[in-house]
Structures are given as structure tokens and as C-alpha cells.
Amino acid sequence: VKEETRQRVADHAVIKSFSVMQEEGGGLVKFASYMIPSAEGMQEIQAGMLIPEEGTAVGTSDAVEYEWVREYHYEAKAEDTLQGTMLMFYEDGKVKYAPVETKLLMQKHKARGKADKSHRKGEGGMGLNIERPKSVSLKRRLPTEDEEEATNKKLRHLQNPVEAEAAEAQQHQYSAQEYREEEEDDE
């Protein structure tokens, strides 16, 4: 596969987390699946069928087909944010960043048919016994007002944390004052 094609597919890849209850009292297992657009799905993406049309919540395609490629066992651990760990990424000709507050440890699940004894539960392996879905499709939608506000709030915090925290504190103070005034009116 050409590097250019590989990069185009990776640009549209999706990682989705799942939790499954294992058999025989094995407990809850968390894993993430890595999915890439199918050949037909990639053609639809390149044709712009996932881009939401103006005034609608979805693109011209009902859904784009994806292929479930592999699974990863993961464990999320809280990380001390005072260390200032940041995720740097390049977007729209600019370098952007986001604070990382969680450490994510991932372990690739062995390919089907290549599992050995150590892969079984209780023998040092992950013990994943996952039935892959017959098909996976992705449908893009526009964010809700609440999602848009949450995104903007995070962005304001990234751009100027001190100003964002002061605005939040003022908003909470105002809300508390409104609450007290309403209580007085009810009496």
C-alpha cells in the first residue's frame, strides 16, 4: 500500500472504546477497537458524503462503511496535571495543543488465529474473547448546542486558563446570587 493511501485512510480512522463482561466471572474488560474506512467508504469520504450539508445534521450519505481492524486492551490512569504534559498536533497550518490529564496504557490484542497459550485468561494474556460486529458504519452529524458550548469552554481554557477560570468563578457567583434571590422571592 502506498504511503499516501495509508495516510489518507489513517486520517479517517476511528478508535472507539468498549467494555465487555467476560465469561466465567472474568469481570469487565475494557478495550478499544481500531477501525478504518472500507474501500467503498473511502470513496464516499473522498466524494464529500460525510460533510454535513448546510441546514442539515447529516451528509449526503446515510452512513459510511468501516472495517474493524484490531483491538487494544487499555487502562486509563489519572496523571498529575502539574507536570504540564501536553499533546501537540498540527492542524490548519498551526501547531495546537491540549493538556493531557490521563495516561493511557494500550496493549495490542493478538491477531485472530495467532493466539498462543499465554494469550488465554489467567496465563498472562488479555483474555479478550470478542465477537466483532458484522458491519460498522459511521454517520456524521453537527454538534448539539451543549456539545458546542463544551468545546468552546475547553478552547477558552486552553487559550487563556486564568481568564477562563475567572469567568467561570464569576458565572458561579452570579448563579448563587440568582438562587438566593429566587429563594427570597418564594418566601
Side-chain angles (χ1 to χ4, degrees), residues 1 7 11 13 19 25 42 45 63 69 80 104 121 131:
V1 180
Q7 184 60 46
D11 286 346
S19 298
M42 199 62 208
I45 289 169
V69 178
D80 183 12
L104 189 62
K121 185 176 180 349
E131 284 293 322

Side-chain angles (χ1 to χ4, degrees), residues 8-183:
R8 234 184 1 258
V9 169
D11 286 346
H12 296 283
V14 174
I15 296 177
K16 170 84 173 95
S17 65
F18 295 92
S19 298
V20 293
M21 190 61 75
Q22 289 294 301
E23 297 173 6
E24 303 170 15
L28 191 66
V29 175
K30 293 189 243 178
F31 69 97
S33 67
Y34 179 69
M35 297 174 276
I36 61 171
S38 65
E40 298 82 20
M42 199 62 208
Q43 290 173 354
E44 290 179 4
I45 289 169
Q46 289 174 334
M49 293 181 165
L50 267 185
I51 300 169
E53 295 177 334
E54 193 170 328
T56 68
V58 296
T60 57
S61 174
D62 286 337
V64 173
E65 292 295 317
Y66 271 67
E67 295 176 20
W68 184 301
V69 178
R70 69 178 61 93
E71 298 90 24
Y72 294 91
H73 173 74
Y74 75 91
E75 185 177 343
K77 295 183 176 184
E79 189 172 88
D80 183 12
T81 57
L82 295 177
Q83 293 177 351
T85 304
M86 302 297 255
L87 169 67
M88 309 292 279
F89 56 97
Y90 188 75
E91 186 178 284
D92 300 327
K94 299 176 184 174
V95 176
K96 298 183 179 184
Y97 67 94
V100 178
E101 299 173 359
T102 304
K103 181 184 258 185
L104 189 62
L105 307 169
M106 296 184 82
Q107 179 183 7
K108 186 176 174 181
H109 181 57
K110 291 190 178 184
R112 294 176 187 273
K114 295 183 180 179
D116 59 11
K117 290 181 184 179
S118 68
H119 185 63
R120 290 191 212 124
K121 185 176 180 349
E123 296 181 20
M126 287 186 290
L128 290 176
N129 185 15
I130 302 162
E131 284 293 322
R132 289 184 177 179
K134 291 182 181 180
S135 68
V136 177
S137 58
L138 176 74
K139 188 173 189 175
R140 188 175 228 176
R141 63 173 176 77
L142 296 174
T144 65
E145 286 182 26
D146 289 342
E147 291 167 337
E148 193 73 38
E149 178 55 35
T151 300
N152 290 335
K153 183 177 177 181
K154 289 177 185 176
L155 182 60
R156 287 190 300 269
H157 185 75
L158 283 173
Q159 292 171 337
N160 191 338
V162 174
E163 189 176 300
E165 286 177 16
E168 278 184 46
Q170 185 177 11
Q171 184 178 4
H172 288 294
Q173 183 179 10
Y174 182 70
S175 297
Q177 184 178 358
E178 278 184 321
Y179 177 77
R180 284 192 297 274
E181 288 173 0
E182 287 178 13
E183 288 291 313

